[in-house]
């Protein structure tokens, strides 16, 4: 008899272990939550060998490949993340390997004009950052993250192969001129569509490998976010070698190598399929949000009870409307208007008396209402990413500034665009290698050991926003000094470089790198930790869209500034063709001020932010 109930105990899902409840063994001994059961009766005592066989399960609702509760011993954690990070590195190398020199391919190989090529590249990059909205929706609602990543990687690889075919064999094929233009466009479109499922799902799927309810595993998530961003920038830096391949060996090799890496990325990602922990898709988040709004509007006349326990919620630890998700605790504040969606009306009470399930369009659970509240609280924080991403969007102006400075260093002419290497190296050095060993101990001394010696995700974003401000202020100081030299040397009306070393630009690139180390990783961590359980990929996609909005905002602002600063006929604006006649310093100071205002607005939102509370 003892063997029978012991065997049942080993195979039983983590129900009693994880929810904090207690279960009684047949002997009457209590099984403590999330720990090896302690059985005191000698007749059913567990031997040491059986204790070693005991495997606790994850407590966050994750399952293994067979749909069973995921074992902490045989699934997840770093062994599963290696394949995820390796796949991200390969995709990042492939994306940047194509995007870095795409304008040259379009102008040299496809014979497009500079304007048309620049416009096409901008459109493609904008599409790459917008398709994550579709990929994240499918992942959260229907497919799940792992399946979305696999399908998206296949589509991305197909696009890379089509692009390689177009570059290597286009002249050998009997294709019309229209078809020759359509083939590269098809490859770029498929690549952008594939990235839509990879970018929002890889960071969240990797974070899924660590159990939220296990303190030791949850502490590893910060390291994962660092290594994820390290993989992204490592692929970006490695892709710079492909520019040489494209210029020296041709576009077939230049696009073929990234295509090969994308194939390797798929193979590596699939190799660890049995090790992954999976979160079940929770159904359409958009539908649930609409249900809350509709139900609240229908009950505009209903009074919300002061006691939140009277609001509608189903029994148990999991949310009824969100598959596999834990419930969210009711919070005060924001708008009590939406609480009406979870308030019983006379019609709802009649339905309950008739033992009929209420329609979610008339009565929603507290968890559904809290999902909407969480999204509303997150929005101001994520919007701070729009202005933050404008700092990196100013890199083209940094390059133009470098063009009119002294580029000779020890007899070698430094290309202004190569200074972006300072940005990449700063990110790679500060992230995974140094953050845990150097940055966190320093922060521990500064914060008195707050959060294990590190910063919360909001504090990390705030530090990044501060460095973004310093970056634009540094660029403004460099330009102010450069223009003073222009006046002293009488170069105002000459399109010539001034005797000021281009290395003075290094700090502004480094500051952007430091800003991304803190803010970009902070936004990724924030989007995962604070988003509703079944909307994590969608919130990651929103943080990516902020990059697109930042670039669009810079584009619109530059056009408006160019028109607004033209004073009188024949006068130059702030950004003329000859920067020695312009006032680029004023534009940089204006942007530094905008970044400072963004930091202050973010600080106001962060101090008032109410963190998500899930049931334990």
């Amino acid at each position: 008899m003892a063997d029978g109930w012991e065997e049942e105990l080993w195979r039983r899902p983590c129900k009693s272990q994880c929810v904090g409840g207690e279960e009684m063994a047949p002997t009457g001994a209590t099984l403590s939550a999330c720990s090896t059961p302690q059985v005191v009766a000698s007749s059913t005592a567990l031997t040491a060998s059986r204790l070693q066989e005991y495997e606790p399960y994850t407590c966050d609702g994750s399952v293994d490949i067979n749909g069973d509760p995921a074992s902490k011993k045989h699934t997840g954690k770093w062994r599963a993340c290696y394949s995820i990070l390796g796949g991200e590195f390969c995709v990042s190398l492939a994306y940047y390997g194509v995007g870095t020199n795409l304008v040259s391919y379009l102008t040299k190989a496809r014979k497009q004009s500079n304007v048309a090529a620049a416009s096409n590249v901008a459109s493609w990059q904008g599409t790459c950052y917008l398709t994550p909205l579709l990929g994240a929706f499918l992942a959260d609602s229907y497919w799940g993250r792992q399946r979305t990543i696999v399908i998206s990687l296949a589509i991305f690889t197909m696009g890379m192969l089509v692009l390689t075919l177009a570059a290597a064999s286009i002249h050998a094929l009997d294709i019309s001129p229209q078809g020759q233009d359509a083939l590269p466009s098809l490859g770029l479109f498929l690549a952008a569509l594939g990235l839509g499922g990879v970018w929002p799902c890889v960071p969240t799927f990797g974070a899924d490998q660590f159990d939220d309810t296990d303190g030791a595993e949850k502490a590893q998530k910060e390291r994962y976010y660092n290594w994820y961003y390290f993989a992204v920038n490592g692929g970006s830096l490695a892709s710079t070698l492909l520019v040489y391949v494209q210029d020296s060996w041709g576009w077939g090799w230049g696009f073929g190598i990234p295509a090969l890496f994308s194939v390797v990325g798929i193979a590596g990602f699939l190799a660890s399929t049995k090790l992954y922990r999976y979160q079940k898709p929770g159904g359409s988040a958009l539908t649930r949000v609409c249900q809350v709004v509709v139900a609240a509007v229908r009950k505009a006349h209903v009074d919300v009870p002061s006691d939140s326990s009277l609001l509608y919620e189903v029994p148990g630890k999991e949310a009824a409307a969100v598959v596999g998700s834990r419930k969210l605790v009711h919070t005060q504040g924001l708008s009590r208007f939406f609480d009406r969606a979870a308030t019983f009306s006379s019609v709802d009470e009649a339905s309950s008396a008739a033992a009929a399930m209420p329609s979610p369009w008339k009565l929603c659970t507290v968890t559904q209402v809290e999902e909407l509240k969480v999204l509303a609280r997150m929005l101001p924080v994520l919007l701070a990413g729009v202005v933050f991403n404008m700092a990196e969007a100013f890199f083209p102006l940094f390059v133009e500034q470098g063009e009119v400075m002294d580029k000779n260093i020890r007899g070698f002419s430094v290309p202004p665009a190569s200074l972006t290497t300072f940005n990449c190296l700063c990110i790679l050095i500060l992230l995974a290698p140094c953050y845990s060993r150097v940055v966190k101990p320093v922060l521990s001394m500064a914060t008195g050991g707050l959060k294990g010696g590190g910063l919360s995700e909001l504090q990390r974003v705030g530090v990044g926003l501060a460095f973004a401000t310093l970056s634009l202020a540094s660029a403004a100081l460099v330009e102010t000094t450069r223009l003073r030299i222009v006046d002293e040397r009488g170069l105002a009306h000459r399109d010539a470089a001034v005797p000021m070393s281009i290395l003075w630009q290094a700090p502004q690139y480094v500051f952007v790198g430091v800003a991304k180390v803190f803010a970009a990783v902070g936004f990724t961590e924030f989007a995962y930790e604070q988003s509703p359980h079944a909307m994590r990929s969608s919130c990651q996609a929103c943080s990516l869209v902020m990059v697109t909005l930042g670039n669009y905002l810079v584009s619109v602002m530059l056009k408006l500034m160019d028109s607004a600063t033209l004073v009188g006929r024949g006068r130059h604006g702030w950004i003329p063709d000859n920067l020695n006649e312009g006032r680029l310093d004023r534009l940089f100071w204006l942007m530094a001020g905008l970044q400072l205002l963004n930091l202050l607005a973010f600080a106001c939102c962060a101090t008032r932010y109410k963190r998500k509370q899930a049931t334990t």
Side-chain angles (χ1 to χ4, degrees), residues 263-275:
V263 173
V264 173
I266 292 180
F269 185 81
L270 291 176
S272 298
T273 299
K274 293 183 179 180
L275 297 178

Side-chain angles (χ1 to χ4, degrees), residues 234-271:
S236 173
L237 186 61
S239 70
T240 57
L241 299 176
L242 291 175
V243 175
Y244 172 79
V245 174
Q246 292 162 354
D247 291 341
S248 303
W249 295 0
W251 296 104
W253 283 102
F255 290 159
I257 294 175
L260 178 61
F261 269 93
S262 65
V263 173
V264 173
I266 292 180
F269 185 81
L270 291 176

Side-chain angles (χ1 to χ4, degrees), residues 3 5-13 36-37 46 50-51 53-55 57:
D3 290 340
W5 78 263
E6 288 176 19
E7 185 66 23
E8 172 63 19
L9 175 62
W10 308 134
R11 304 306 177 197
R12 183 180 302 147
T36 303
L46 304 177
R50 298 301 296 272
L51 287 174
E53 294 174 5
Y54 177 76
E55 296 174 11
Y57 295 91

